[in-house]
Every structure is written in C-alpha cells, then in structure tokens.
Amino acid sequence: MAQLTNPWPLTRREGEIEAFAAALAQDGTNLVVLYGPAGVGKSRLADAMVDSAERHGRLTARVTGSAAAALLPLGALAPVLPHDLDATASARDLFERTRSGLQSLGGEGRLVLLVDDAHLLDTSSAVLLTQLIDAGAVFVVATIREGEVVPDAVAGWWRSERAVRVDLKDLDRATTADVLRLALGGEVGADTVRRLHDASGGNPLLLRELVIQSLGADRLRDDSGTWRLVGPIPPSQRLSELFEVRLGGIHEDARHVLEQLALCAPLGPAELTGTSTDADLEELERAGLIHVVLDDHRQQLTVAHPLYGEALRASLPVLRRRAILLAAAERVEELGARRREDPRRIATWRLDAGGSPDPALLLQAATVARYAHDFAEVRRLAEVLLRTTPSAEASLLLGEAHYELGHFDESEAVLAAPMPEGTPVDVLTRQATLRTKNLQWGLCDWSAAMQVVDDAFEAIGPEAGIDIVAEKGSVLLFSGQPQAAIDLFATIDQRTDRTSVLIALVEAPALAAVGQTAKAIEVAVAGFAVHSAMEDPQALAHPGTHFVNQAFAMVEAGRLDEADELAGIGYEVAVADAVPIAQIWFAMMLGKSTGLRGRMDESLRWYQEGASTARLHGFRGPLSGALAGLAMAQAMLGRSSESAASIEEYRTLPPFSFFGHDHALGIAWSLWANGDPQGARTTLLAEAELAFADHHNGSASWLWHDASRLGARGIADKLAGVAASGDSAVVAARAAHVAAIEAGDADQLIAAADAFEALGAILLAAEAASDASSELRRAGDQRRGAALANRSRQLMERCPGVRTPALAPADVAVPLSNREREVASLAGSGLTSQEIADRLFLSIRTVDNHLQKAYAKLGVNKRDQLAAALGEA
C-alpha cells in the first residue's frame, strides 16, 4: 500500500494563512475564528497557523473543547491555567492570575493559543477566554463546527472588531485534484479525481478516508505514474459508523425516507411510500440529510451525501431492501410511469429485488441506460434479457456495452453470432457498424473490419446499404487512407440523418488529415447538430466525438487557443459520461496542442492521462499514439531513459494505422534524446514520405519540419508543396521556417518566429528566433543577433524544462554550425570520438575537428565542460 503524506496536504489555503499572519501582526486584532462543517479541515488549518507563528518565534499553546471537559468548570483551559490557581478565587483574581500566567508564557509577544472545537467549551472557559481576548492578553485561533450550538460568549467572538472570521468550505474539484496529487505523490486521473470528489463531496476528512480505503482494497493503483481507481470505491466501515451516529437520532418515518432514497434516489415526494409527511421532509432538509432539487419543474429528493446512502444501504437487511425496492416500483407504476427513465427504474428495482421484470420493460430499460451511456447497467440488463428472452436487439445492446467497457473479445463473440432469418435491415446495419467499430478500435484488426463491411454490403444490397458504405469510409480512414474515404463519401448522394452522422464522424478528421481544416471544422459542427437531434443514436459513437474531430482540425489548422478550450470542455463531458475512448482522444488532443505550444510538462501530463486511460480500458490502438506522444514530451524534457521506456512499451503493441505516421515523432525524438540524431533524422524523413504518399499532409509537414529541426536539409520544396495544397496556418509556418533555415535568411527566420508566436507555438518561435540570431552573428551583426538571442530566451521562459538542438547556440558569440552542435552534444553526453563517428557516419578526424571548433566557440577545453556550456547557452 502506498504511503500517504502525513499530515494530509493542506492545499490552496495560502490566503487564509496570510490573513492570520496579518491579524497576528496587528495590535487591535486578538482572534481568528475558523468556521465550517465537520471534516472541512479547520483543525488542520489551525495547526498550520500555529506552526507558522512558532516558526516566526511566537510561543504557542493548544487546548481542545470536548463534552467531557465541559462537565468541569474551566476544564478545557486546564492545560494553560496556573498550577497553583485556587478554584474558589474571585472572578477578578482568576482573570488576573490567568492573564499574568499567559503573558509570562508568551514572553515579549502575546501567546498564540489554539482553541480547537470552541463550540464545546464550558461556560466558565468561554467567559474567561472572552475576557482575555478583550484584554489583549492572548491571541486565539479558534475552530467552530458549523451547525453546532455554541456558548453565548463564544457566539459573540466573530462579531467583535478584534476578530477575523474565516469561513471554510468543502474543496472544489480542482483543489481535490491538487490534494490527491500531493497525498499520493503523483498524477491522478481526471476520472478518478471526479469520482473521489463526488463521493466525498469535497470534504477533506471523507476524501482521506476514501483514499485510505481504496488503497487498502487495491482499488486505487499507480499506473506508470498516474493513479487510477479500478472498480467501485469500497465501503468504509469507519465512515459508515460515523454516519450511523448522525442518523441515530431521527425517528422511524424519517429514516424510512432516507432508506428509500439510499436505494432508489432520485425520487419525487409523491413517489415516496410509507407515512412520512412534508414536515418530515422539511426536518430532513434542515438537518442537512437530504437535498431537494428542481428537475423540469418537479421536485426531486436525494440523500445529501453519497456516503449517507452507503451507510444506509450497508445497514439494510436483505428482506427490508427487497420490500423497499418492490414498493418503489409499484408506486411509480401506480403514478403511470410517464417519464422516460421510469421503465429503467422499475426494471432495475425489480431486478435488484430478486424478481424477473417483464422482458419488454427490461429491453426498454437497457435502451434508456444506453442513452445515458451507463454501459455497465446496459450489460447487466442485456445479459438478463439474453438468458430469458433472446433477441437481436438485446444482442446488439450487449455487444456495444462490452465494447464500451473494453471487453473486446466478448463483444466480438456476441456481435459475430448470426442474426435470425428475417432480421430487419436496420438491425443488420447496426450489427455490422458495431462489429466494425470493435474490430477497428478494440481488436486493431483492420482487414477483418473491412471484410465485415464488404460481407454486410453484399448481404443487404446497394439500396439499403448506404450506411454500410459510410462505415467502409470509416475503415478506410482509420486504416490510414483519408483521401480514399473522402472520395468514397463523394459517391453517396442520398443521405438519411443517420448516414450524414456516420459520414461526418469520419469525413471531418479525414479532411483535417489532408489539410482541408476549415471544411473539416464545418463538417464536424454540422455533424454534431444532426447527431444531437437524433432520437435513436444506437450503434453510433458518442456525440462528443464530433468535438474530438473539431478540436483535432483546429490543432491541425494552428488554432490552438480554440482547440484547447473545446478539448478541455469535451474532456470534462467525456469524464462525466464515462466514455473512455473520448477521454483518450481529448487527452491526446490536449497533449498535442500543449506540445505545439512548447509546454511539454503539460503535454506530458495529458499524454500520460491518455495512456493510463487506454491501459485501464484495454484500448491498445490509441495507447500506441499516447505512448508516442509521451515519448516525444519526455525526450524534449531531457528524460531520455523514460522516453526510451515509453517507446519500448509502444513496440509491444499491435500496429495502429490511424494517424500512425505521427508515431514516428515519438520514436525519432527518443532516438535524439538517447544520442542517435542520425537515426532520428532517418526515421522522420522516411515516415514523412510515407505520410505524404498516404495524403496525410498534416503529418507529413510535421515530420519534415521536425527532421529539419534535428538537422535534415533539402526538404524545403517538399514542405512548400504540402503547404500550398491546404489551408493550415501552422503547416504554412513550418514551410516558411524550413525555407528560411535552408536559405540562411535571417529576416525570413524572424518572420517565421513572428508567425509561430502569433499561433501560440512558442517553442517553435523560440527556435526560429535562435536560428535568426545565429545567422545574424555569422554575418557579423552582433547587435541584432544579441537582440534575437534575448527574444529566444524570453520565449523559452514560457517553455520550462524544454531542450531541443536549435536552442543550444542562442547566446554563443560565434554560433555553432548544426554539425558542431550535434557533435558537441554527443561528446558532452559521454560518447567517445569513435562512437560519435560511428553514429554520424563520419571519420574520427572529422569529429575531432568539429569538437575543436566547438571548444573555441563555447570557451571550453574539455569534454566534461560541453554539457554545461551547451546548457548555459
């Protein structure tokens, strides 16, 4: 089990601690009150404040209010009262003796006294403390629990001009993510953050208990640096006991309401059974045990906290649970079951009660669960259906659920089963569509997917098989043939809404791949509009896929700000709807976009998130793309061994053709980081030719540009041709940059830097500025060269930790040539001249000549000084 940090991290409380420090330094302020619900971290923050005071030389003490201490006068303050104090002394003498004692404890400054759980102080302690605060004899940091009855003296504390009140709330999701990252010592998957945040309500105490419980049950695991929840969050016995104490005081009718909500929520007031009244509901709401929310102008009741429901469910005997579920199903049926989700509720309640729901109701329930993207529930319901009343519809639901849950072999087994004679064409089409998707994305078998499409088209016929033709376009794109997919779609004239959506899902990324980014965005937007209005979206990808396609096209176009915003929103939706394949693609889009910006630390985190999600759900194809992106980010951050490990894992995966040309970027940068620049260039140049032949123009431009960044020459005309064939601003900027490098034109390099900076591609702008600086200094223009070097440095400050070849010579008075820089870098990494000569296909004498020139330009005379000299530059 992982070791959590101890104490639990205190995150985003800097403002409160600063407010405490300011109050402590102010003569007129004698009290800070921390107010909030149980478990919100009041005591933890109070401890941090007192620790801060100690670090600044203040003397401190701590006392705690409790029910036991409150039975004795001054019981809570006993630890700080004078030892020889006479309990029969007058109030004035008591005050004077205590003030004198506390002032002597405090030395030259006021004693800082932490009073934890001040709402539990006995009256004598509360009154004495109030007098001491008013007299300025002590500085108090007090914690008070929200909703508790407090002594009159304490209730007046925060109304005093001498006091600062700090209201603490539960953590928001962003802060929960920070706390988990610090507590676990690594990145935490966004879906895991969301689940733990929702389960705990953001309460730090509950969050910590859930983390400990999940670690102990091996449900919270470290997947290559990213923590993920695997399976449901296990119940916590300690929390159940705490909530049972809270629930112990409510009467039977109110508890019956809570039990119904624990099993069946949300419920409307009219759907409750039993003898509860409106007064009971008002009492539960005032006590903070239930929430009342409006849903389409109807009141819906839920348990106030998920863990209340867990505690109640754990305490229910089997027969009572069954009775509540059956009574709820009968009640909703009596009311007419008019809402769309009612059949699902009734069917699942009867199933959970051990009954056998009506098959038609079960099918309807599974279909509604599919609309809600609750594929675990779809699988459960569909499996029951297939055992009791087999049907084509149930098979398709189960096959799709298996795919969405990452059970690809099981999905193929269900979907490959022959359909009964007379099965409607639309059902056969859905079967082929689902099976093709599973074969492509799950089993990575493109040839089998194409065979399914061809067989289905032959069986269904050309008139009814238009959707199958659209699906064939999907196989063409995802097997690496975007132009072939576009050409196929041009032959389809008659399109239903379903056909239009199927085409849009494929045509948008295909257009982006060939360089038609504006049209790609247009197709994605239109496709989403049609998709979201469809009444029957079964066997189609999640509607959010259109946002993935739009974000991808925006990245390819160089519209990085828009891409980041859209992908960020889409990622949140994918996490909320539990759609792992969408999570993976959005994470990879964000990894690509932040990488183009030069924020490689963020890019690394997003690719790591995508890789972890892909591993968790068994998507080996998308995992290969995430690992390649991860290797590239690691390489540019100087993590050469980690980059090599990512590529090693990548090579264990099956070939994946969907934008597979981009994978060479990760391989090449890993080679460069591990001392093989020639291998990196060869990899990039070879893959660029293949990408161009496959009409992956965006990929070809990226590969050729990165080859140029790593020292390849003679490719400017190729890039110019790619740029002219499309409308992408980032492709045009790449082409201009390479042309300027090969021409040695400083002004063109400055223009390239301007273009990259305007797009937000800050790393590339820094490299172009560095290249311009080198050209100007070679030409003898030291003043402009120094100015461009300074610009490059300023841009690089926005790309923390990144290291690329073009940035090394920015501050060198006489810049190194590409070859000198390459040889010096390899020598600085510890390679001998013979090893460098072998890698670069040079003679040893040539290597030594380059080294001598690099020594002179860098102002060093030993190999072990090269790395530092290049790093400083």
Side-chain angles (χ1 to χ4, degrees):
M1 176 173 149
Q3 292 295 315
L4 295 178
T5 58
N6 189 24
W8 188 249
L10 187 69
T11 306
R12 300 198 186 186
R13 296 298 192 194
E14 295 84 358
E16 288 85 350
I17 292 176
E18 289 175 4
F20 161 76
L24 186 59
Q26 188 173 333
D27 289 339
T29 304
N30 300 328
L31 172 67
V32 170
V33 176
L34 305 181
Y35 186 83
V40 78
K42 300 181 298 296
S43 299
R44 176 76 180 83
L45 178 58
D47 282 333
M49 289 177 171
V50 172
D51 290 344
S52 172
E54 288 179 352
R55 287 194 300 272
H56 288 84
R58 304 297 291 267
L59 294 177
T60 65
R62 289 168 168 81
V63 298
T64 301
S66 67
L71 297 175
L72 299 172
L74 301 178
L77 293 182
V80 295
L81 292 175
H83 295 299
D84 58 349
L85 189 67
D86 185 354
T88 62
S90 66
R92 181 175 182 81
D93 185 49
L94 182 65
F95 168 73
E96 291 295 343
R97 293 287 307 281
T98 304
R99 180 176 66 174
S100 176
L102 292 176
Q103 284 178 335
S104 64
L105 282 175
E108 297 181 1
R110 291 173 293 174
L111 177 75
V112 178
L113 178 64
L114 191 163
V115 183
D116 207 7
D117 289 338
H119 52 280
L120 295 177
L121 289 175
D122 61 276
T123 302
S124 300
S125 294
V127 170
L128 180 57
L129 264 178
T130 302
Q131 294 173 334
L132 294 167
I133 291 168
D134 289 343
V138 65
F139 188 100
V140 170
V141 179
T143 69
I144 298 177
R145 184 182 301 168
E146 182 181 285
E148 297 288 342
V149 177
V150 298
D152 290 341
V154 174
W157 283 0
W158 56 72
R159 291 191 290 270
S160 167
E161 293 181 356
R162 299 176 179 274
V164 173
R165 171 170 163 165
V166 178
D167 289 280
L168 299 182
K169 303 296 182 184
D170 289 323
L171 308 176
D172 59 23
R173 187 136 50 98
T175 308
T176 297
D178 288 345
V179 168
L180 290 171
R181 189 180 304 115
L182 290 170
L184 293 166
E187 293 299 319
V188 184
D191 49 357
T192 295
V193 171
R194 185 186 185 95
R195 290 176 61 192
L196 287 170
H197 177 77
D198 290 348
S200 67
N203 185 282
L205 173 64
L206 303 185
L207 179 65
R208 184 174 187 274
E209 287 299 319
L210 292 178
V211 168
I212 291 172
Q213 197 74 10
S214 298
L215 286 169
D218 196 30
R219 301 276 179 84
L220 186 57
R221 302 175 187 169
D222 182 3
D223 172 34
S224 302
T226 301
W227 288 90
R228 308 301 291 250
L229 272 170
V230 181
I233 300 172
S236 167
Q237 183 62 36
R238 179 183 173 191
L239 294 179
S240 295
E241 292 170 356
L242 289 173
F243 288 132
E244 272 299 329
V245 171
R246 176 93 188 268
L247 300 173
I250 64 173
H251 58 78
E252 185 176 347
D253 286 343
R255 186 179 183 94
H256 183 54
V257 170
L258 289 173
E259 289 172 345
Q260 292 178 72
L261 295 179
L263 292 173
C264 307
L267 291 172
E271 295 172 335
L272 293 170
T273 62
T275 59
S276 61
T277 64
D278 289 345
D280 293 326
L281 299 182
E282 291 172 10
E283 178 188 344
L284 289 170
E285 186 180 19
R286 278 197 304 271
L289 294 173
I290 67 171
H291 281 158
V292 182
V293 296
L294 284 177
D295 181 14
D296 290 336
H297 307 292
R298 295 178 59 178
Q299 286 186 343
Q300 294 283 284
L301 310 177
T302 64
V303 179
H305 197 288
L307 296 177
Y308 290 180
E310 179 187 300
L312 285 161
R313 287 190 294 272
S315 69
L316 285 173
V318 173
L319 293 180
R320 182 166 178 80
R321 176 192 295 258
R322 181 175 183 275
I324 291 171
L325 289 167
L326 292 176
E330 291 168 4
R331 180 62 174 161
V332 173
E333 286 175 329
E334 289 172 4
L335 295 172
R338 296 185 298 271
R339 306 189 78 182
R340 179 179 179 178
E341 68 272 17
D342 284 349
R344 177 188 180 189
R345 298 162 76 202
I346 294 168
T348 54
W349 293 339
R350 291 193 181 281
L351 196 61
D352 289 341
S356 300
D358 176 75
L361 198 62
L362 263 181
L363 180 60
Q364 196 173 356
T367 303
V368 172
R370 193 263 171 234
Y371 290 142
H373 305 285
D374 186 354
F375 288 103
E377 185 72 352
V378 174
R379 181 184 62 179
R380 184 171 79 109
L381 298 173
E383 285 176 340
V384 174
L385 262 176
L386 283 178
R387 286 198 301 269
T388 58
T389 316
S391 68
E393 289 82 358
S395 294
L396 295 184
L397 285 165
L398 180 59
E400 184 178 20
H402 276 312
Y403 165 77
E404 294 290 347
L405 295 170
H407 308 152
F408 307 124
D409 290 327
E410 293 91 334
S411 179
E412 172 65 5
V414 172
L415 295 173
M419 287 290 180
E421 192 72 30
T423 299
V425 168
D426 64 319
V427 176
L428 293 174
T429 301
R430 281 171 47 202
Q431 179 196 29
T433 301
L434 285 170
R435 192 176 172 202
T436 301
K437 180 169 66 172
N438 182 61
L439 285 166
Q440 289 182 112
W441 296 109
L443 298 174
C444 302
D445 191 339
W446 309 101
S447 60
M450 186 63 80
Q451 189 64 54
V452 167
V453 168
D454 290 340
D455 291 347
F457 185 76
E458 183 178 345
I460 293 171
E463 290 187 7
I466 295 300
D467 286 0
I468 299 298
V469 177
E471 192 62 33
K472 183 171 185 175
S474 169
V475 180
L476 288 170
L477 169 67
F478 299 131
S479 60
Q481 303 174 68
Q483 189 60 53
I486 295 169
D487 294 342
L488 177 65
F489 295 147
T491 68
I492 302 176
D493 296 324
Q494 296 181 344
R495 303 185 181 187
T496 64
D497 283 351
R498 183 179 184 82
T499 308
S500 296
V501 169
L502 282 168
I503 290 174
L505 286 166
V506 179
E507 191 174 29
L511 287 165
V514 302
Q516 304 301 315
T517 59
K519 188 175 180 182
I521 293 168
E522 180 184 321
V523 168
V525 171
F528 175 75
V530 177
H531 196 160
S532 58
M534 289 182 67
E535 293 185 1
D536 181 14
Q538 290 195 58
L540 291 174
H542 188 279
T545 308
H546 298 284
F547 290 124
V548 175
N549 293 342
Q550 192 177 344
F552 168 67
M554 286 175 171
V555 172
E556 291 297 302
R559 294 163 58 175
L560 302 183
D561 288 341
E562 297 168 84
D564 280 355
E565 182 178 5
L566 186 64
I569 294 170
Y571 187 80
E572 289 297 317
V573 172
V575 169
D577 285 353
V579 186
I581 189 66
Q583 287 179 239
I584 297 166
W585 289 121
F586 278 122
M588 289 172 65
M589 285 306 101
L590 288 162
K592 186 174 183 179
S593 178
T594 51
L596 284 172
R597 292 176 180 279
R599 300 202 299 260
M600 286 300 166
D601 51 349
E602 292 181 46
S603 180
L604 184 147
R605 287 197 295 272
W606 280 116
Y607 279 124
Q608 194 172 43
E609 177 85 8
S612 177
T613 305
R615 286 193 204 94
L616 183 64
H617 296 279
F619 284 100
R620 296 182 298 163
L623 174 58
S624 62
L627 286 171
L630 183 61
M632 179 168 57
Q634 290 165 330
M636 292 192 199
L637 289 168
R639 303 181 185 182
S640 56
S641 59
E642 294 177 25
S643 180
S646 294
I647 294 301
E648 184 178 352
E649 182 182 356
Y650 166 86
R651 296 191 188 282
T652 67
L653 300 171
F656 193 69
S657 301
F658 183 50
F659 291 98
H661 297 297
D662 293 357
H663 300 177
L665 294 160
I667 296 169
W669 279 100
S670 182
L671 287 170
W672 170 80
N674 285 280
D676 188 3
Q678 184 61 46
R681 287 191 291 270
T682 300
T683 298
L684 291 168
L685 292 172
E687 198 66 37
E689 295 290 348
L690 294 174
F692 184 67
D694 287 340
H695 301 278
H696 276 269
N697 293 336
S699 297
S701 81
W702 194 359
L703 291 157
W704 270 320
H705 184 245
D706 275 21
S708 175
R709 294 169 67 195
L710 292 177
R713 296 294 179 262
I715 54 180
D717 290 344
K718 296 176 183 291
L719 260 171
V722 173
S725 69
D727 59 9
S728 168
V730 73
V731 171
R734 287 171 181 152
H737 184 205
V738 173
I741 289 173
E742 295 193 1
D745 189 318
D747 290 331
Q748 288 184 29
L749 286 165
I750 293 170
D754 293 341
F756 282 132
E757 187 171 7
L759 292 171
I762 302 305
L763 172 60
L764 300 180
E767 291 186 3
S770 177
D771 291 335
S773 171
S774 296
E775 292 298 337
L776 288 166
R777 283 172 161 166
R778 286 192 188 98
D781 192 342
Q782 296 299 321
R783 182 182 61 79
R784 289 182 68 201
L788 265 297
N790 185 54
R791 178 183 177 184
S792 179
R793 278 196 310 276
Q794 291 175 342
L795 290 168
M796 278 308 300
E797 288 174 0
R798 296 159 64 182
C799 309
V802 178
R803 172 178 173 258
T804 65
L807 298 171
D811 275 350
V812 180
V814 181
L816 289 88
S817 68
N818 290 327
R819 183 64 85 184
E820 289 164 358
R821 183 192 322 151
E822 193 168 76
V823 169
S825 178
L826 292 173
S829 70
L831 296 185
T832 65
S833 293
Q834 181 65 65
E835 290 169 329
I836 297 170
D838 291 342
R839 290 202 180 184
L840 301 181
F841 305 103
L842 301 172
S843 69
I844 296 178
R845 181 176 180 181
T846 300
V847 168
D848 288 337
N849 285 339
H850 286 311
L851 272 177
Q852 291 305 315
K853 292 177 182 177
Y855 287 156
K857 291 178 180 181
L858 293 170
V860 300
N861 54 25
K862 293 182 180 179
R863 285 175 180 256
D864 58 9
Q865 297 171 332
L866 284 170
L870 289 168
E872 290 169 1

